[in-house]
Amino acid sequence: MAQKTKQKIKTKKIKPLEGRPYDPKEVEAEWYDIWEGMGAFKPEYSGPGRKSTGKPWCCIIPPPNITDQLHMGHGLNFTLQDLVTRIRRMEGFDVLWLPGIDHAGIATQVQVEKALKAEGTSREEVGYDKFLERAWKWKEEKGGRILDQIRELGSSCDWDRLRFTLDPGPSRGVLTAFQQLYEKGYIYRDYRMVNWSPALQSAISDLEVIYEDEQGAFYYINYPLKDGTGHIQVATTRPETMLADTAVAVHPDDERYEEMIGKTVIQPLSKVEMPVIADKYVDMALGTGALKITPAHDPNDYEVGKRHDLEMPNMLNPDGTLNDHYPPYEGMDVLEARKLAIKELTDGGFLVKTEEITHPVGHCQRSRCIVEPMLSEQWFCRMDELVLPAIEAVGPLDAPESEKFDCTFYAPRWKKVYNDWLNPETIQPWCISRQLWWGHRIPAWYCNECKAVMVSLDPVDKCTECKSDNIKQDPDVLDTWFSSWLWPLTTLGWPEETDDLKKFYPTDFLLTAYDIIFFWVARMVIAGYEFLDATPFWEVVYTGLIRDEHGKKMSKSAGNAVDPLILIDEYGRDALRYTLTHLSFSGSQDINLTPTRLQGSRYFMNKMWNVAKYTIGQLGDDFTPTPLVELFKYPTLTLPDRWLLSKLTACVQDIEKEMSIYDFGQYASTLYSLVWDDFCDWYVEISKFHLGEGEAAERKQLVRSILYHTLETIFKLMHPISPYITEELHAAIHVDGPVNAEYVPLIVESWPGQIFKGIERDTEIEKSFDTLMEFVRSARNLRKSVGLADSKKVPEIMIYTADAGLSELLTGTEQDLCGLIKAGRIVHLDAGIAPENSISSEIPSGGITVYLPIGESIDLTKEIERLEKEIEKKSQYAKSVSKKLNNPGFVDNAPAKVMEKEREKLDEANQLIGELESRLSMFKGAVDG
């Protein structure tokens, strides 16, 4: 083995690769602790191998909820973030990938309340302080688990900078933002329509309402006119809400009702009198063209009610039961009230007809209960002015590609979704208060004496107006997303001007799923400009959603969710990461994850392992590689040498282009093609003909150096995707391995992009080698067609070409070609001379005809016997398909596509039989001759 300089870097003890199969569990052990222990995850790392550019680069992790377990969405997100992070680190940036977790107000409170219920108690029984103690205990247990799972994926975060949304620093930022927006008049308290979750007994945002189609009905109901002249008919899906009606509305241009406008109708259930009003909101063509108006329980009716100054009575309790607004229904849930209303309307002769329909019904995202639109006093944030800088940050949809904006979206199609939601003409005030105990408590205090409202960062013990100490703090907490929209700011220290904030804000990169553009991305951009007058990130990459092999979205409820840790145990981290990367093409398409894909990646890891094992075995005990830059200038490079160096150059440069637009899938595909198709399938096989005992030392040195540098470049390119196997193999070469070169762990090695930047690929050499590959494939196909074993060497392969350049190309590489096709020599034929007893084929691009003589190479008797059996087998198959196609019962009943498929089978079988018979005839002729 080579004499090594004393290692300054702690590494694992690498077992020799000779005779050692690839075992992901063994390979992936220890490396994460080594990387973290050497400080490689920190932007301040200055140890061995560090080549800092001094430029900062920052990515803030989208914080998973402390209620979560790792799912495949996390697996995809963390893999791709880590991939980009590792590339930037290798490029020399001072990289900060900052981890964190979210307190997840509603989700966590629901889980803690479930735990209390299982113990026979409740939130109300244990009280506010004890409940918060339980919630913090939950955070320590569950939050720690999710962080361990993030580590399991190989995420190279700076764990010393870990943040939690309820930590003192981020919490101070949340309160500061509230105070500043309140003082500017953006945050205010109002009595407005909200989405109410009866299960949570809290307001929720529009974005937390999930609409699902359900079976329902339109109920056509007559409202009698008070003057006895008739009635007006309305259609509704919710007859129980009649109890809170305050008007019936018609369109002012609807001639059917023009004489009724201004009259009074009597609500059939409670007998309350209400006006008939005219409003252009009404759709004359929908239903009867008349609408019952329930301002306190429908957002559109609420707007109508405001325009006409209608009363807005609330009929619901916080738990979703009916209140004492109409005592006969008090205490009933909505469905019970609906049944009673329908019965009373039917008994009273007011229900005219019922029409079954399917319609969307809003459900609470967390509790899955039906959401009730309801008037409630809440805290709101006015958004119409705040959104303006955020719209400018990404630019208009029709902006030319050359025009740059503060925030770039990959893929651009999400700009439309983003801009549509931020439209200042339509965006609604954000309801930011929640009736929960777990979260950031609203920093507002109310004076019970003078009714003053005080907003403060610090606790208030006395009214600032009347000096009374009879005050109380608002019991509600802020929407979880109110802390999340500040995440890029508060994680770096805002509102304090910390060193991290100065160095890393704006951050450089955000990667997230496209389904939270509204919840999170847009709001973060708004907050960035409002509080620091800058975008929170320069680039945003949207990923697709993970689906199963049938294209169905993975979820616990669907029963198809997969735990990434189970896949890691079965296939290994590197294979899972490679699969997720390989499936993530630009455009944020959804991903179908299949066992076949995972197994294919596992095979790829094994291929990497074996080619490294071969290369290390060929380097000898004391190898000093020729420097890479000198290899390109070497005068004795053969065509295959120059071809591989050109393909290596192309691979590096293509990956640079692909990663400039974050096309992860193409990056993985490009690398796969180099490793498997170019390096392993071709050059490694050719190298075996140049490393034997009779080969010159200079030639061996050159081939070994090409093998070494190609493998090392592959390791560097592959490391961001599959860091464990590449680090293991890199160490196997350098630590007590055959190579005399300074050992630097891959995690802090230099990215190959800069080295290959000034090198030009040789496309002419690549075209020439493509021709050689076509020749080899043609010769191999001829061998296969006559049943020659791969190991059997034939005396000669013959070729004819009228192109002197092609002839010279084949002559110049004859040694390598003969080795690849297992032939003693290549014979060049003159024009017009076709060898007897041979089979032939022309290479796909034309210009070369390849002949395989069959007399000496093949046991003709045995091959004739094999062909006769194969023809008989194929003939029986063709006969069965033909019989099916001539069966009237099948023909009359089979779908057109099935018939077409069967005809294709018959055509293919007959074509193959013809080819086999032709070959049989030729072989028999050779025997008879």
Side-chain angles (χ1 to χ4, degrees):
M1 289 291 175
Q3 292 296 313
K4 299 292 175 181
T5 56
K6 187 176 180 181
Q7 297 295 329
K8 298 180 180 179
I9 303 170
K10 179 187 175 184
T11 186
K12 67 188 281 188
K13 183 168 181 58
I14 308 295
K15 298 178 183 177
L17 298 191
E18 185 64 33
R20 177 184 166 195
Y22 172 56
D23 178 358
K25 290 183 173 65
E26 182 181 48
V27 168
E28 293 167 5
E30 299 183 48
W31 281 117
Y32 194 90
D33 291 340
I34 290 170
W35 294 327
E36 187 177 9
M38 64 186 277
F41 297 168
K42 302 183 69 60
E44 299 86 0
Y45 175 74
S46 59
R50 178 61 170 157
K51 300 177 182 66
S52 174
T53 63
K55 297 177 181 178
W57 185 90
C58 182
C59 171
I60 307 292
I61 202 169
N65 293 343
I66 59 172
T67 57
D68 280 339
Q69 293 190 53
L70 205 64
H71 56 66
M72 288 312 306
H74 290 126
L76 173 66
N77 200 292
F78 297 143
T79 293
L80 298 183
Q81 285 182 76
D82 189 49
L83 182 158
V84 178
T85 296
R86 287 176 183 267
I87 290 177
R88 297 294 177 259
R89 187 180 289 121
M90 294 173 76
E91 287 176 332
F93 286 91
D94 294 345
V95 167
L96 171 58
W97 184 20
L98 196 151
I101 48 177
D102 195 296
H103 67 281
I106 291 176
T108 301
Q109 179 148 328
V110 167
Q111 294 301 321
V112 175
E113 289 199 48
K114 281 183 180 178
L116 290 173
K117 185 177 181 180
E119 297 170 12
T121 184
S122 67
R123 166 171 58 124
E124 291 77 14
E125 287 184 13
V126 300
Y128 181 81
D129 292 336
K130 290 291 184 184
F131 179 82
L132 290 186
E133 285 181 16
R134 288 294 298 267
W136 276 102
K137 183 180 179 182
W138 174 281
K139 178 263 177 185
E140 294 304 321
E141 294 174 357
K142 308 301 182 183
R145 181 178 64 184
I146 192 70
L147 293 173
D148 289 342
Q149 291 172 328
I150 294 173
R151 289 172 177 266
E152 283 294 312
L153 276 166
S155 305
S156 55
C157 306
D158 183 354
W159 295 106
D160 290 339
R161 286 176 165 91
L162 175 66
R163 299 289 184 268
F164 176 52
T165 46
L166 286 179
D167 282 344
S171 293
R172 190 72 173 179
V174 169
L175 302 184
T176 299
F178 185 97
Q179 183 185 52
Q180 290 185 10
L181 293 172
Y182 176 78
E183 291 173 352
K184 291 181 178 181
Y186 289 114
I187 284 181
Y188 59 97
R189 191 164 169 79
D190 195 9
Y191 195 65
R192 289 178 57 92
M193 180 67 62
V194 298
N195 299 298
W196 188 264
S197 169
L200 302 176
Q201 297 193 35
S202 174
I204 59 175
S205 75
D206 292 343
L207 302 176
E208 292 167 314
V209 180
I210 307 299
Y211 287 91
E212 298 174 355
D213 285 341
E214 293 187 358
Q215 293 299 311
F218 260 133
Y219 300 93
Y220 290 80
I221 303 164
N222 287 338
Y223 281 50
L225 290 164
K226 182 180 179 182
D227 62 11
T229 58
H231 62 264
I232 188 167
Q233 191 175 105
V234 302
T236 180
T237 59
R238 301 195 59 185
E240 74 281 0
T241 61
M242 292 171 59
L243 298 172
D245 285 355
T246 55
V248 171
V250 298
H251 195 281
D253 299 332
D254 194 333
E255 295 179 357
R256 295 173 294 177
Y257 302 115
E258 61 182 350
E259 293 185 0
M260 295 186 184
I261 295 172
K263 287 190 175 185
T264 299
V265 295
I266 298 173
Q267 190 258 85
L269 291 178
S270 64
K271 311 305 180 186
V272 170
E273 296 180 1
M274 61 190 69
V276 178
I277 61 175
D279 195 283
K280 291 184 177 180
Y281 162 71
V282 179
D283 184 349
M284 291 186 284
L286 182 64
T288 64
L291 289 180
K292 58 185 284 301
I293 302 300
T294 318
H297 296 288
D298 183 277
N300 296 312
D301 292 4
Y302 171 68
E303 296 299 329
V304 174
K306 287 198 298 182
R307 286 195 291 273
H308 295 271
D309 197 25
L310 298 176
E311 291 185 11
M312 300 186 181
N314 173 33
M315 57 176 275
L316 294 176
N317 293 312
D319 64 358
T321 59
L322 272 68
N323 60 23
D324 60 0
H325 176 67
Y326 186 57
Y329 285 69
E330 185 177 359
M332 293 183 182
D333 66 32
V334 168
L335 295 180
E336 291 172 334
R338 186 175 303 167
K339 288 179 182 178
L340 180 57
I342 293 169
K343 181 180 184 304
E344 290 189 354
L345 290 169
T346 302
D347 292 345
F350 301 107
L351 182 61
V352 180
K353 64 176 181 177
T354 301
E355 184 179 283
E356 299 296 321
I357 62 167
T358 299
H359 64 135
V361 177
H363 292 75
C364 174
Q365 184 187 43
R366 290 295 176 185
S367 69
R368 309 306 297 173
C369 72
I370 293 177
V371 170
E372 294 290 345
M374 193 167 78
L375 279 179
S376 177
E377 190 174 28
Q378 302 285 342
W379 285 92
F380 295 89
C381 182
R382 183 165 53 85
M383 305 296 289
D384 54 348
E385 293 178 12
L386 291 173
V387 301
L388 298 178
I391 294 171
E392 292 182 10
V394 303
L397 294 175
D398 56 358
E401 288 188 14
S402 58
E403 190 173 354
K404 300 301 180 185
F405 297 93
D406 286 357
C407 187
T408 301
F409 278 13
Y410 303 86
R413 66 191 175 108
W414 295 115
K415 284 174 64 172
K416 183 179 188 311
V417 178
Y418 174 95
N419 282 331
D420 285 350
W421 186 72
L422 290 182
N423 186 340
E425 301 297 323
T426 57
I427 194 167
Q428 295 296 307
W430 175 15
C431 178
I432 59 173
S433 50
R434 298 290 182 268
Q435 288 62 59
L436 305 172
W437 287 358
W438 175 247
H440 295 98
R441 193 165 176 182
I442 291 174
W445 284 258
Y446 308 109
C447 178
N448 292 321
E449 300 296 333
C450 70
K451 309 305 178 186
V453 178
M454 295 150 282
V455 171
S456 172
L457 294 179
D458 301 308
V460 176
D461 55 12
K462 188 175 293 186
C463 176
T464 55
E465 298 295 325
C466 70
K467 309 305 179 186
S468 170
D469 59 4
N470 186 12
I471 61 174
K472 63 177 180 180
Q473 186 177 358
D474 194 304
D476 295 345
V477 300
L478 289 163
D479 178 10
T480 297
W481 295 103
F482 195 87
S483 56
S484 298
W485 79 323
L486 300 168
W487 190 240
L489 289 75
T490 57
T491 51
L492 295 173
W494 186 86
E496 304 300 322
E497 291 190 18
T498 63
D499 291 339
D500 276 358
L501 187 67
K502 294 173 185 177
K503 182 173 182 176
F504 293 110
Y505 192 92
T507 68
D508 294 85
F509 178 78
L510 174 72
L511 185 139
T512 187
Y514 62 73
D515 59 345
I516 55 172
I517 292 176
F518 321 124
F519 281 107
W520 197 42
V521 178
R523 286 174 174 164
M524 282 192 290
V525 179
I526 293 169
Y529 280 97
E530 173 61 22
F531 299 111
L532 285 176
D533 196 26
T535 180
F537 24 71
W538 300 116
E539 298 178 309
V540 182
V541 174
Y542 294 106
T543 66
L545 304 179
I546 299 284
R547 300 184 182 275
D548 65 17
E549 57 191 307
H550 306 294
K552 190 175 181 180
K553 183 179 176 181
M554 285 188 173
S555 67
K556 291 180 183 177
S557 59
N560 63 350
V562 180
D563 184 345
L565 299 187
I566 294 176
L567 298 182
I568 285 173
D569 186 63
E570 185 172 357
Y571 299 101
R573 294 171 181 82
D574 287 322
L576 175 60
R577 286 171 61 114
Y578 184 83
T579 302
L580 294 172
T581 305
H582 202 189
L583 294 173
S584 299
F585 287 89
S586 64
S588 58
Q589 292 93 347
D590 290 349
I591 291 170
N592 290 5
L593 187 66
T594 68
T596 303
R597 290 280 194 174
L598 289 158
Q599 190 59 54
S601 297
R602 176 67 170 74
Y603 291 150
F604 185 44
M605 298 304 116
N606 199 65
K607 191 77 168 179
M608 286 274 295
W609 184 264
N610 288 335
V611 74
K613 187 188 298 186
Y614 165 78
T615 300
I616 292 172
Q618 295 301 320
L619 295 183
D621 292 335
D622 190 5
F623 174 66
T624 302
T626 302
L628 178 60
V629 291
E630 292 183 19
L631 283 182
F632 286 91
K633 305 170 186 175
Y634 226 75
T636 58
L637 290 172
T638 64
L639 188 147
D641 296 338
R642 287 183 286 160
W643 169 78
L644 181 65
L645 291 173
S646 181
K647 295 293 283 186
L648 184 63
T649 300
C651 177
V652 175
Q653 293 174 353
D654 286 347
I655 286 174
E656 287 283 88
K657 292 174 187 174
E658 289 147 12
M659 284 307 296
S660 72
I661 58 171
Y662 298 107
D663 192 342
F664 303 107
Q666 194 56 54
Y667 163 23
S669 294
T670 298
L671 188 53
Y672 182 98
S673 181
L674 174 74
V675 174
W676 200 300
D677 301 336
D678 300 332
F679 189 47
C680 294
D681 281 0
W682 292 98
Y683 192 80
V684 166
E685 293 305 310
I686 291 172
S687 73
K688 295 173 183 177
F689 314 140
H690 298 268
L691 295 173
E693 291 185 6
E695 196 70 42
E698 182 181 5
R699 178 63 187 153
K700 287 184 180 180
Q701 170 67 19
L702 181 59
V703 172
R704 286 169 176 162
S705 294
I706 292 173
L707 287 171
Y708 166 77
H709 285 298
T710 301
L711 194 63
E712 277 287 277
T713 303
I714 288 170
F715 290 162
K716 292 175 183 178
L717 294 172
M718 186 77 172
H719 178 77
I721 303 176
S722 300
Y724 295 92
I725 187 173
T726 50
E727 194 74 88
E728 180 95 354
L729 294 174
H730 175 72
I733 291 178
H734 291 277
V735 180
D736 296 326
V739 176
N740 283 316
E742 181 186 1
Y743 169 64
V744 174
L746 271 181
I747 192 170
V748 290
E749 260 284 13
S750 296
W751 180 248
Q754 192 61 37
I755 299 173
F756 286 83
K757 192 172 185 179
I759 300 173
E760 290 187 13
R761 64 187 296 184
D762 193 332
T763 54
E764 290 303 314
I765 286 293
E766 291 180 27
K767 288 179 183 177
S768 295
F769 198 83
D770 285 345
T771 302
L772 298 182
M773 288 192 291
E774 287 185 353
F775 166 76
V776 171
R777 292 188 186 107
S778 293
R780 286 174 172 173
N781 287 338
L782 290 175
R783 291 172 55 96
K784 184 178 180 182
S785 70
V786 296
L788 275 175
D790 291 342
S791 59
K792 183 175 178 59
K793 189 173 183 178
V794 299
E796 60 190 19
I797 290 286
M798 299 177 178
I799 65 106
Y800 169 72
T801 177
D803 187 322
L806 291 177
S807 181
E808 183 181 349
L809 174 65
L810 294 172
T811 301
T813 53
E814 183 173 352
Q815 176 191 350
D816 294 336
L817 296 177
C818 285
L820 291 169
I821 62 176
K822 296 291 191 298
R825 62 175 183 161
I826 297 174
V827 177
H828 294 248
L829 299 171
D830 294 331
I833 300 178
E836 296 181 356
N837 297 331
S838 65
I839 57 174
S840 65
S841 70
E842 189 171 4
I843 68 171
S845 61
I848 301 175
T849 303
V850 185
Y851 297 90
L852 172 64
I854 60 175
E856 300 179 22
S857 306
I858 301 166
D859 184 337
L860 292 175
T861 303
K862 187 175 180 181
E863 186 60 20
I864 287 171
E865 183 181 337
R866 185 187 72 82
L867 283 172
E868 286 176 338
K869 288 181 179 178
E870 185 69 14
I871 290 169
E872 175 63 22
K873 180 180 177 182
K874 295 298 180 186
S875 297
Q876 289 296 327
Y877 173 74
K879 187 177 179 180
S880 69
V881 176
S882 179
K883 184 178 180 180
K884 185 186 294 185
L885 288 171
N886 288 312
N887 180 351
F890 175 76
V891 173
D892 292 342
N893 296 300
K897 286 185 177 180
V898 173
M899 288 291 296
E900 183 181 352
K901 188 70 177 175
E902 292 300 315
R903 291 192 187 100
E904 287 176 2
K905 289 179 182 177
L906 183 59
D907 290 342
E908 290 171 2
N910 286 331
Q911 182 180 351
L912 180 58
I913 290 168
E915 293 172 358
L916 293 172
E917 287 177 339
S918 175
R919 189 150 296 159
L920 178 63
S921 176
M922 180 181 63
F923 286 175
K924 285 182 175 180
V927 171
D928 294 340

